[in-house]
């Protein structure tokens, strides 16, 4: 396969499928499927059973693409092979199961794959997440943060204690942002411990703990144990409940720098979300340093990038989505025409769009009186916060992404 191409070559799989059953190799089919997903830069493989076929889709740059259809008679064989590799029960077909496996990839290191299987109307479906460690490939500066936002994050990283939260929906790059912050904080003179589910990247010099529900090692219990290990910095993979939130906030109050993720739509919604989880306003006000809201947008393929002038109709339509003062006289944008390198999509790779909410005295007072997210947002913008919409628009003007892509991630 040519360097840099997101080419998907299903000929090996097709050849195996066409063989008669005694000569067909399900082992080769599963291995080749994961290899093709890896070479196509896919983050997930979806195997969706239908009445007469097993549908295969790859999630590439955050968007699902139909790739292939297996004959229905291969459905159970493929699921059974995946179950064997992921150490799941092969005789259980009516319960959801989770597992993990490692697949060898030609001319590349083995790939760890997280597997989730659930029963559906037409049989068991399977979603495989490829946990490809690229932590060594980039730094915080490579994630798309503007100089303005980087300066706020750098300031928060220098504080010896407090809470730093990355917020956004599933798959918005929150954990990657925290990993890059940890990479910069990682010095011989400090102790960093994480508790995660799952451990996505290996960070040298950092003690990483995997959540294990079977042994009672939850985020809350693990965090309690971590605080007895004399850490300077703690990362909790996700704040899911009130107990974890309470322990994290108390850890931030007692001299620890605590990093975590929270499922909210944007940075200002972090505050009401923590209140919903039962954290007292005075605790949030005294511990929260910054909240980073983010999304991932696809970047325009550099090989087929062309300039595009907006028509009057398009400009008028966009005023409904973007503030008029932003658009002004900006009519020149870019798009990808589609080529072999980007599989005719016009996009290749992804970059983050962000908003970084820095908690200052005025916002602390607002938190204490339980101000809502809209009030917090208005106050933060007044104090200089660049919203995700504006950050995305700036990246479209710079030719990194398209306005359509910015709108897509907010309206999916």
């Amino acid at each position: 396969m040519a360097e840099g191409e997101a080419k998907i070559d299903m000929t090996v799989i097709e050849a195996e499928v066409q063989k008669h059953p005694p000569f067909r190799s399900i082992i080769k089919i599963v291995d080749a499927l994961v290899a093709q997903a890896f070479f196509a830069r896919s983050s997930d493989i979806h195997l969706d059973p239908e009445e007469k076929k097993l549908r295969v889709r790859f999630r590439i740059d955050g968007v699902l693409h139909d790739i292939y259809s297996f004959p229905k008679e291969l459905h159970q064989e493929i699921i059974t092979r995946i179950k064997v590799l992921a150490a799941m029960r092969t005789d259980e077909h009516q319960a959801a199961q989770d597992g993990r496996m490692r697949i060898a990839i030609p001319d590349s290191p083995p790939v760890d794959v997280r597997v989730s299987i659930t029963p559906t109307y037409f049989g068991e479906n399977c979603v495989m997440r490829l946990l490809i460690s690229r932590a060594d490939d980039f730094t915080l500066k490579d994630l798309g943060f503007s100089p303005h936002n980087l300066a706020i994050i750098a300031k928060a990283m220098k504080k010896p204690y407090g809470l730093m939260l990355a917020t956004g929906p599933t798959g918005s790059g929150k954990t990657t942002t925290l990993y890059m912050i940890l990479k910069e904080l990682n010095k011989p003179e400090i102790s960093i411990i994480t508790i995660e589910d799952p451990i996505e990247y290996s960070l040298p010099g950092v003690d990483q703990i995997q959540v294990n529900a079977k042994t009672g090692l939850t985020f809350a219990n693990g965090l309690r144990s971590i605080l007895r290990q004399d850490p300077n910095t703690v990362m909790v993979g996700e704040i899911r409940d009130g107990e974890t939130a309470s322990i994290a906030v108390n850890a931030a109050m007692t001299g620890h720098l605590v990093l975590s993720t929270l499922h909210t739509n944007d940075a200002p919604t972090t505050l009401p979300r923590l209140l919903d989880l039962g954290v007292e306003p005075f605790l949030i006000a005294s511990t929260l340093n910054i909240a980073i809201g983010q999304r991932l947008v696809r970047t325009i393929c550099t090989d087929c990038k062309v300039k595009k002038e907006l028509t009057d109709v398009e400009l008028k339509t966009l005023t409904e989505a973007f503030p008029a003062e932003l658009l002004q006289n900006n009519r020149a944008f870019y798009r990808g025409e589609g080529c072999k390198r980007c599989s005719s999509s016009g996009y290749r790779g992804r970059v983050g769009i962000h908003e970084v909410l820095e908690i200052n005295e005025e916002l602390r007072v607002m938190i204490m009186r339980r101000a809502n997210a809209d009030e917090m947002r208005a106050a933060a913008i007044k104090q200089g916060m660049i919203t995700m919409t504006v950050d995305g628009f700036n990246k479209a003007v710079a030719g990194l992404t398209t306005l359509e892509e910015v709108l897509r991630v907010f309206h999916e």
Side-chain angles (χ1 to χ4, degrees), residues 268 363 366 369-381:
L363 292 179
M366 294 180 73
R369 65 174 177 82
R370 294 177 180 263
N372 63 37
D374 290 338
E375 291 177 276
M376 298 291 294
R377 170 174 286 279
I381 292 171

Side-chain angles (χ1 to χ4, degrees), residues 336-352:
E337 289 194 307
C339 63
K340 284 184 179 179
R341 189 165 184 259
C342 62
S343 299
S344 301
S345 67
Y347 296 98
R348 182 174 169 80
R350 288 191 289 178
V351 70

Side-chain angles (χ1 to χ4, degrees), residues 102-325:
R102 177 168 284 191
I103 298 288
I105 302 291
D107 305 318
S108 294
V111 173
D112 286 319
V113 182
R114 193 173 77 207
V115 182
S116 174
I117 291 178
T118 54
T120 70
Y121 185 74
F122 289 116
E124 291 173 293
N125 89 329
C126 176
V127 176
M128 294 182 276
R129 164 67 57 90
L130 276 63
L131 303 173
I132 302 164
S133 178
R134 295 195 176 104
D136 295 333
D137 296 348
F138 41 69
T139 65
L140 198 57
K141 291 179 182 177
D142 301 321
L143 299 183
F145 285 99
S146 66
H148 171 85
N149 287 337
L150 274 175
I152 298 171
I153 294 170
K155 182 180 171 185
M157 284 165 57
K158 289 176 183 173
K159 294 184 178 179
Y161 59 88
L163 197 57
M164 297 176 69
L165 294 177
T167 72
T170 302
S172 59
K174 302 184 296 293
T175 305
T176 302
T177 294
L178 294 188
Y179 273 133
M180 295 307 109
I181 292 173
L182 288 181
K183 270 182 71 177
E184 301 211 4
L185 289 171
N186 193 8
K187 304 284 189 298
E189 60 270 20
I190 71 166
S191 168
I192 300 175
I193 306 178
T194 75
I195 179 159
E196 306 169 56
D197 184 25
I199 296 171
E200 293 189 25
Y201 309 144
S202 173
L203 293 173
V206 175
D207 293 324
Q208 295 174 270
I209 300 168
Q210 168 73 50
V211 164
N212 188 340
K214 292 176 183 175
T215 61
L217 183 57
T218 61
F219 278 122
N221 292 338
L223 186 49
R224 283 195 189 92
S225 300
I226 285 172
L227 296 177
R228 294 192 285 269
Q229 296 274 314
D230 187 33
N232 298 96
T233 301
V234 174
M235 185 187 105
V236 185
E238 185 184 342
I239 292 177
R240 295 177 180 171
D241 52 57
E243 187 181 12
T244 307
S246 176
I247 300 166
V249 166
N250 278 286
M253 278 195 75
T254 54
H256 302 90
L257 185 62
V258 180
L259 284 68
S260 191
T261 69
L262 199 63
H263 281 273
T264 64
N265 285 331
D266 53 33
T269 316
T270 302
L271 307 155
R273 176 71 183 129
L274 288 172
L275 291 171
D276 288 344
L277 289 171
V279 182
E280 292 294 332
F282 75 92
L283 289 175
I284 302 171
S286 57
T287 57
L288 186 60
N289 293 338
I290 60 168
I292 304 166
Q294 65 182 73
R295 296 286 194 283
L296 289 176
V297 294
R298 291 178 292 172
T299 50
I300 300 170
C301 175
T302 53
D303 282 21
C304 58
K305 181 176 171 180
V306 293
K307 205 168 189 177
K308 174 190 175 185
E309 289 283 335
L310 292 181
T311 64
D312 290 340
V313 175
E314 287 173 325
L315 198 63
K316 188 178 179 182
T317 306
L318 286 169
T319 55
E320 297 170 14
F322 295 99
E325 63 271 17

